[in-house]
Amino acid sequence: MTTKSGKKLFLNWGIFIATVIVVFLLGLLASSILERRTEAAYVNVPKNELNQFDPRNEVWGENYPREFQSYYGTADTTFQSKYNGNVMIDMLEVDPRLVVLWAGYGFSKDYNQGRGHYYAVSDVQNTLRTGAPKSKTDGPMPSTCMTCKSPDVPRLMNERGVAQFYTGKWAELGPEVVNPIGCADCHDAKTMNLRISRPALVEAFERQGKDITKASHQEMRSLVCAQCHVEYYFNKKTVEGANYLTFPWDNGYSAEAMEEYYDNIEFSDWTHALSKAPMLKAQHPGYEVYMTGIHAQRGVSCADCHMPYKSEGGQKFTDHKMQSPLNNIANSCQVCHREEAGTLMANVYERQDKIIENRDKLEELVVRAHVEAKKAWDVGATEDQMKDILMGIRHAQWRWDYAAASHGGSFHSPVEIGRVISGGITIAQETRIKLARLLAELGYNEEVPYPNIATKEKAQEFIGLDMDKLNNDKKEFIKTVLPEWEKEAKEREKNYDKIYSTNE
């Protein structure tokens, strides 16, 4: 009897203890749920009333701390993939042939792999391409070059007018454009809905007969990127005296459609220093190439891969550390693709390897065409004899640049990029045959020597750049002019709390 009572007592205690543990765990769960619900209820209660044209990301960040904190992840420059990443890479040093392709253009002086949005302003200040201006009316670059660098740009367009913003020199805006790409570039201050802050995109849609205000939220998650990650040019005929930013989309997004647009208006970015060809410089047609790929066809936006959702506590929000999906495969690729991370990365590299193999071949052919064209001029070719040849060089290099400048294009749309490159190879080869015939006709029957451009320095010397002077001038600019810009900006922004205290 005692034994049975002891077992019963033990069982009762066991049930009691188990019940206490279960109740305790349920209490923890309930507490956690309540805590997450509380977070969800109060996380987006604004602390400040925002003004649409306040360019300070820190002020917007006080209302949206999670997004703001993740945005500053764009300051990280530690990720390097097989091809690029967000580290600082001297691309001319990696591939000196680029110097020859861009002879006579700013990119032959300096071209670094782009870093995160956090560095948008400082990188453009420090590059040799913007020169070393000593006054507001000095330097090689127009004010339009600032368009995509900062939320100070919508502020200035609102204050001065769009056409006036596009008028003048880059240096004029030096003290004005100081806040890196951020909140006001993409969001409405009252609702935080996505918005278009750059008029060139709206105007491009209007010329195509489209109303951008009808775009869905998912479409907007790509269109806010398309404000800047696109091909563009400066139209000097829209408003007198202005370098009016324009997207060449009237005929479509393809390389051929934009080439036709440029040819019809006889536009060129520069005249090549060696071949004298009227050249086109592809800027970064990321959106155009994306639109031809499978992800766009299936409704995947830029933000889905480059700014995927993440959870923190009870909150789901967009990760504003805009970066390569290869540095965040779990939250980007694997949301849809169930393969292992290593397999997905290998798939990306396989596509890139194959595209870049042919792109490099096209690159070499175009370099040779420039050098051979220079020889043709040297031995007495006429403009009439060179006309078709120069257009061939223009069209071949445009296709190369369209593929090279569309960062990620070899993955975004490998079939389309492969097609464009193959077309460029055909054009380049046909152009070189014409050059060989012309050279023979002019009495030159030898192979044109390929220059020694094994290093960036040798290539820059070959095209006649005085790099010592360019570097010294830039150092002086950074030492003397840039600090004055920063000082002026700080003085102006001291009044911002008063100016932007309301949405009036």
Side-chain angles (χ1 to χ4, degrees):
M1 190 71 180
T2 304
T3 302
K4 289 182 179 181
S5 298
K7 288 181 178 180
K8 186 176 181 180
L9 181 63
F10 180 78
L11 179 62
N12 290 338
W13 274 107
I15 294 172
F16 174 75
I17 293 171
T19 302
V20 170
I21 292 173
V22 170
V23 170
F24 177 74
L25 292 175
L26 287 173
L28 286 178
L29 178 61
S31 175
S32 177
I33 291 172
L34 289 173
E35 182 180 353
R36 299 299 178 261
R37 285 181 176 177
T38 301
E39 289 179 354
Y42 292 101
V43 69
N44 284 328
V45 176
K47 295 181 179 179
N48 304 308
E49 186 177 5
L50 296 173
N51 185 294
Q52 186 62 62
F53 299 106
D54 190 336
R56 296 170 297 173
N57 297 321
E58 293 77 8
V59 174
W60 291 63
E62 290 177 3
N63 284 3
Y64 304 94
R66 286 181 170 86
E67 289 83 354
F68 176 68
Q69 184 178 18
S70 66
Y71 161 78
Y72 267 92
T74 63
D76 176 22
T77 59
T78 59
F79 175 68
Q80 183 170 6
S81 65
K82 186 174 184 178
Y83 300 103
N84 303 328
N86 58 18
V87 298
M88 177 69 83
I89 302 173
D90 186 337
M91 300 305 293
L92 301 183
E93 189 174 281
V94 172
D95 186 2
R97 288 181 301 202
L98 302 181
V99 174
V100 178
L101 291 179
W102 293 322
Y105 196 64
F107 276 74
S108 64
K109 305 173 186 176
D110 183 26
Y111 174 44
N112 294 319
Q113 157 67 26
R115 299 189 291 173
H117 285 183
Y118 177 82
Y119 300 101
V121 174
S122 60
D123 280 354
V124 77
Q125 289 172 339
N126 287 294
T127 179
L128 293 176
R129 297 199 303 276
T130 52
K134 297 180 180 178
S135 69
K136 292 184 177 181
T137 58
D138 192 17
M141 307 304 286
S143 58
T144 317
C145 290
M146 285 289 200
T147 303
C148 284
K149 305 304 179 185
S150 168
D152 280 302
V153 172
R155 171 182 69 82
L156 289 167
M157 287 182 169
N158 179 62
E159 293 173 2
R160 302 180 179 188
V162 175
Q164 186 59 38
F165 176 87
Y166 294 146
T167 303
K169 289 288 189 177
W170 174 81
E172 181 183 349
L173 300 182
E176 295 282 353
V177 179
V178 295
N179 294 281
I181 296 168
C183 313
D185 289 312
C186 303
H187 289 283
D188 181 272
K190 292 184 178 180
T191 65
M192 289 308 289
N193 290 336
L194 295 172
R195 70 183 291 268
I196 304 302
S197 59
R198 302 306 196 270
L201 179 61
V202 178
E203 293 161 357
F205 265 56
E206 289 174 346
R207 293 197 306 275
Q208 292 178 319
K210 300 177 183 178
D211 183 356
I212 204 167
T213 64
K214 304 298 184 182
S216 68
H217 174 69
Q218 182 68 353
E219 289 172 328
M220 287 294 289
R221 297 181 80 229
S222 291
L223 287 174
V224 290
C225 307
Q227 297 183 96
C228 296
H229 292 266
V230 291
E231 165 62 12
Y232 60 84
Y233 76 106
F234 301 160
N235 192 332
K236 297 183 180 180
K237 298 179 181 180
T238 303
V239 177
E240 185 176 355
N243 287 279
Y244 205 95
L245 185 68
T246 306
F247 297 172
W249 294 352
D250 294 26
N251 302 327
Y253 295 130
S254 71
E256 292 82 2
M258 290 190 281
E259 177 184 84
E260 179 186 17
Y261 175 96
Y262 285 135
D263 286 352
N264 287 343
I265 64 173
E266 298 183 346
F267 173 82
S268 63
D269 284 293
W270 90 103
T271 299
H272 198 274
L274 301 180
S275 67
K276 300 183 183 179
M279 301 303 297
L280 296 172
K281 175 69 187 80
Q283 305 304 329
H284 24 65
Y287 178 74
E288 296 91 334
V289 173
Y290 149 81
M291 287 293 289
T292 68
I294 190 65
H295 287 92
Q297 292 172 15
R298 294 184 176 178
V300 179
S301 73
C302 301
D304 286 326
C305 302
H306 296 277
M307 301 173 63
Y309 291 112
K310 65 184 297 187
S311 294
E312 188 176 280
Q315 297 304 311
K316 177 184 177 182
F317 64 98
T318 300
D319 186 353
H320 281 62
K321 183 183 180 181
M322 293 148 276
Q323 61 177 331
S324 166
L326 296 181
N327 198 31
N328 191 15
I329 289 176
N331 287 348
S332 55
C333 311
Q334 289 180 322
V335 172
C336 298
H337 303 283
R338 298 306 182 186
E339 293 83 359
E340 294 292 333
T343 300
L344 291 169
M345 187 172 291
N347 289 339
V348 173
Y349 289 158
E350 180 185 13
R351 287 159 177 76
Q352 291 177 327
D353 288 342
K354 292 176 179 178
I355 292 296
I356 291 173
E357 178 183 350
N358 284 332
R359 194 186 76 195
D360 284 349
K361 182 60 179 177
L362 174 56
E363 182 179 307
E364 180 186 346
L365 293 173
V366 178
V367 169
R368 289 186 179 275
H370 282 300
V371 174
E372 290 160 356
K374 181 181 184 305
K375 174 58 72 172
W377 288 115
D378 291 344
V379 297
T382 66
E383 290 187 8
D384 188 59
Q385 289 173 318
M386 292 292 288
K387 184 177 180 180
D388 288 345
I389 289 170
L390 298 185
M391 287 302 291
I393 293 175
R394 166 187 170 98
H395 290 166
Q397 182 159 325
W398 164 249
R399 283 161 176 75
W400 166 84
D401 214 345
Y402 181 87
S406 60
H407 307 301
S410 56
F411 177 74
H412 290 155
S413 189
V415 175
E416 174 66 4
I417 291 296
R419 183 193 69 81
V420 171
I421 291 173
S422 66
I425 289 174
T426 300
I427 294 171
Q429 290 287 47
E430 291 175 349
T431 299
R432 292 187 66 216
I433 290 172
K434 292 178 183 179
L435 271 166
R437 289 173 177 165
L438 177 58
L439 286 167
E441 181 183 334
L442 295 171
Y444 189 90
N445 288 298
E446 304 172 25
E447 181 180 355
V448 177
Y450 191 77
N452 181 1
I453 53 173
T455 66
K456 177 181 76 169
E457 291 74 21
K458 289 180 179 180
Q460 289 172 332
E461 181 181 0
F462 171 70
I463 68 170
L465 285 178
D466 186 348
M467 295 307 299
D468 287 339
K469 184 178 188 308
L470 290 171
N471 283 308
N472 288 334
D473 288 348
K474 194 68 182 188
K475 288 178 182 177
E476 184 65 18
F477 163 80
I478 293 172
K479 180 181 177 181
T480 60
V481 177
L482 198 53
E484 291 299 316
W485 288 1
E486 293 170 350
K487 180 180 178 182
E488 185 176 335
K490 287 180 180 179
E491 287 298 315
R492 183 187 65 256
E493 291 197 341
K494 284 181 180 179
N495 298 316
Y496 274 12
D497 286 335
K498 182 178 180 180
I499 295 172
Y500 296 120
S501 59
T502 68
N503 278 327
E504 295 178 356

